[in-house]
Structure formats: C-alpha cells, structure tokens
C-alpha cells in the first residue's frame, strides 16, 4: 500500500515541470503514509489542521517544509508559527496582525499567501479578488509577515474550461498585483490546483500545486 504511495509520488513529480513545486496535502493521513510520500521525493507537506500537524511534525520535522493550507483560527496562531514555514490561507488584516505578533515574538519572518475566493462562493474562505490589493498594501507595515503570493481553492466544477477560467483569473490578478511592485511583498507563488486539476493549473501559471488523493488514494 505504502509502496504505491511512493510510486505515485515519483510519477507525479516526474510529470511536473521545473519551477513548479508539489505540496502533499496530508489531512487524515498517517505518518507512515506521509513517510512513503517523502520517500517518493515530496519536500513540502501541506496540512489543514494545526493540532494534527504538530503531532506529525514530531515525527517528520525538517525533512520537509510545512505549509498551512487550512483555515487558521486566532487561538492557533502561536502554535502555527512554530510549525509552519508558510501560511497559505491568510484572508484578513486581523489574522495578519496576529501572525505578525507571534512571529515577532519568535524572531521569525513568516512567508504568507493571500487566499482568494476566486469564484465568490458563499461558503468558501478567502477574500474576493477585489480585496487583495488592499490586504497586500496593509501588510507592508509588518516586519514579520511577508506576503509572497496568492492561493485559491478552486470550485469543484465539472467542466475543465470552467476550472481553466478560474485559474486564468487568478493568474491575471497575480500578474497585476506583482506589476504594482508592492512594498515588502515579493509575489513569487501562485498556489492553485489539486489532484483533479493540477496539470490545468500548471498550464495556467501555478507554481505550487497541492495534491492529496492522487498521491495517497481516496480519503478515509
Ligand atoms: C485536501 C486539500 C487539497 C488536496 O485535495 P485533493 O483533491 O485530495 O488532491 C488541496 N488543497 C487544500 C486546501 C485541501 O484541503
């Protein structure tokens, strides 16, 4: 079973062009399963939950870089700052302020991505595309938060062209923001695409893709 995870990981990493990095989305997976993905060459672990990530971190540590890809609650920021190398899900000034405070205490600079709700879905986290510029501007006064790009969880659409349209909108927002040369926000990363969509996302400009089921199989 775990051999299969290693093989799938190797295959996916071979498929991905240079300059694009794969994040293994590990929610609900065991340490053994994650070890199998590491053996296959995965170098970034994406976790949705701070508490669970903390347990996994004890076993895996710095053999991978750690990205938070789930919603971050205010009372978990302190712990998150100690585990993660990047927080991909920043979507408010309040959250940035809290990350700033805890990162300053720990003496670290936390790379963050702004999470965009690209299709304006009611139930989805993230800010609307129109709010990104302001949030990035507000981040410029922080010394311990550094906005390094954008992330989105695209809607579960059935049609490939719909997905592609969302990815294109993300890419043009990303380019527009980058071209405005925001202070203290080196925009480098565009995190989009999951198991069903990562190749399309890469074609449209993603350089971070988050892959769960294509590595680990169906979630239990
Ligand atoms: C679970 C998850 C993924 C991976 O989804 P798969 O369809 O299993 O590849 C990617 N991003 C986020 C934020 C997730 O929660």
């Amino acid at each position: 079973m775990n051999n299969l995870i290693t093989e799938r990981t190797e295959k996916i990493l071979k498929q991905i062009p240079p300059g694009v990095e794969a994040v293994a989305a590990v929610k609900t997976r065991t340490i053994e399963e994650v070890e199998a993905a590491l053996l296959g060459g995965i170098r970034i672990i994406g976790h949705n939950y701070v508490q669970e990530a903390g347990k996994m971190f004890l076993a895996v540590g710095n053999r991978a870089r750690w990205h938070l890809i789930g919603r971050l609650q205010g009372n978990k920021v302190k712990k998150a700052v100690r585990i993660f190398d990047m927080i991909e899900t920043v979507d408010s000034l309040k959250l940035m302020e809290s990350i700033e405070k805890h990162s300053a205490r720990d003496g670290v600079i936390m790379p963050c991505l702004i999470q965009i709700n690209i299709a304006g879905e009611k139930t989805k986290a993230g800010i609307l595309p129109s709010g990104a510029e302001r949030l990035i501007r507000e981040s410029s006064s922080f010394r311990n938060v550094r906005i390094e790009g954008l992330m989105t969880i695209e809607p579960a659409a059935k049609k490939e062209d719909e997905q592609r349209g969302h990815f294109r909108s993300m890419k043009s927002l990303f380019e527009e923001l980058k071209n405005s040369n925001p202070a203290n926000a080196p925009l480098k990363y565009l995190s989009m695409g999951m198991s069903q969509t990562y190749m399309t996302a890469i074609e449209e400009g993603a350089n971070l893709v988050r892959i769960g089921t294509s590595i680990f199989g169906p979630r239990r």
Side-chain angles (χ1 to χ4, degrees):
M1 189 58 213
N2 290 352
N3 285 343
L4 193 54
I5 291 174
T6 302
E7 281 168 29
R8 288 197 203 110
T9 305
E10 286 168 346
K11 211 168 138 197
I12 288 168
L13 292 177
K14 265 195 211 119
Q15 235 186 353
I16 286 177
V20 179
E21 287 189 280
V23 176
V26 303
K27 59 178 176 276
T28 77
R29 309 303 177 174
T30 64
I31 294 194
E32 290 70 28
E33 290 171 312
V34 173
E35 290 286 354
L38 290 170
L39 195 61
I42 275 291
R43 289 295 165 261
I44 309 177
I45 293 176
H47 214 307
N48 295 65
Y49 309 113
V50 176
Q51 215 66 22
E52 277 81 350
K55 286 183 207 139
M56 200 176 272
F57 186 83
L58 293 177
V60 174
N62 292 322
R63 285 182 293 146
R65 283 179 285 141
W66 291 76
H67 286 203
L68 181 65
I69 60 173
R71 197 189 288 258
L72 179 54
Q73 292 169 333
N75 61 354
K76 302 270 170 64
V77 174
K78 179 177 174 183
K79 186 161 186 167
V81 163
R82 300 210 163 137
I83 298 168
F84 292 100
D85 302 292
M86 179 180 278
I87 296 172
E88 294 201 18
T89 50
V90 171
D91 63 358
S92 72
L93 178 58
K94 196 167 161 226
L95 183 54
M96 279 198 305
E97 282 167 347
S98 178
I99 296 169
E100 168 77 6
K101 184 177 85 182
H102 290 288
S103 301
R105 277 186 195 161
D106 285 2
V108 298
I109 292 174
M110 180 58 68
C112 296
L113 306 184
I114 305 280
Q115 183 176 356
I116 306 289
N117 182 355
I118 192 63
E121 295 170 283
K122 286 227 163 58
T123 57
K124 210 159 249 182
I127 57 164
L128 294 177
S130 57
E133 190 189 354
R134 176 170 175 183
L135 204 51
I136 289 172
R137 202 168 350 100
E138 287 168 335
S139 80
S140 70
S141 62
F142 295 138
R143 313 181 65 148
N144 299 80
V145 166
R146 191 166 60 208
I147 303 298
E148 295 194 349
L150 304 179
M151 175 269 210
T152 197
I153 303 172
E154 74 277 5
K158 276 123 218 130
K159 297 200 197 85
E160 202 207 309
D161 1 328
E162 256 172 70
Q163 304 281 23
R164 198 177 286 280
H166 295 308
F167 294 143
R168 282 195 183 156
S169 307
M170 282 295 294
K171 171 71 170 166
S172 63
L173 177 65
F174 181 66
E175 290 302 327
E176 191 186 307
L177 293 166
K178 216 163 69 164
N179 290 338
S180 73
N181 271 315
N184 187 35
L187 301 181
K188 293 182 282 198
Y189 296 106
L190 184 54
S191 173
M192 58 186 191
M194 310 193 280
S195 289
Q196 301 302 316
T197 54
Y198 68 91
M199 286 312 289
T200 311
I202 290 169
E203 284 165 19
E204 298 304 334
N207 56 14
L208 268 182
V209 291
R210 308 176 311 268
I211 304 176
T213 48
S214 288
I215 291 175
F216 299 105
R219 268 187 289 281
R220 289 178 292 273

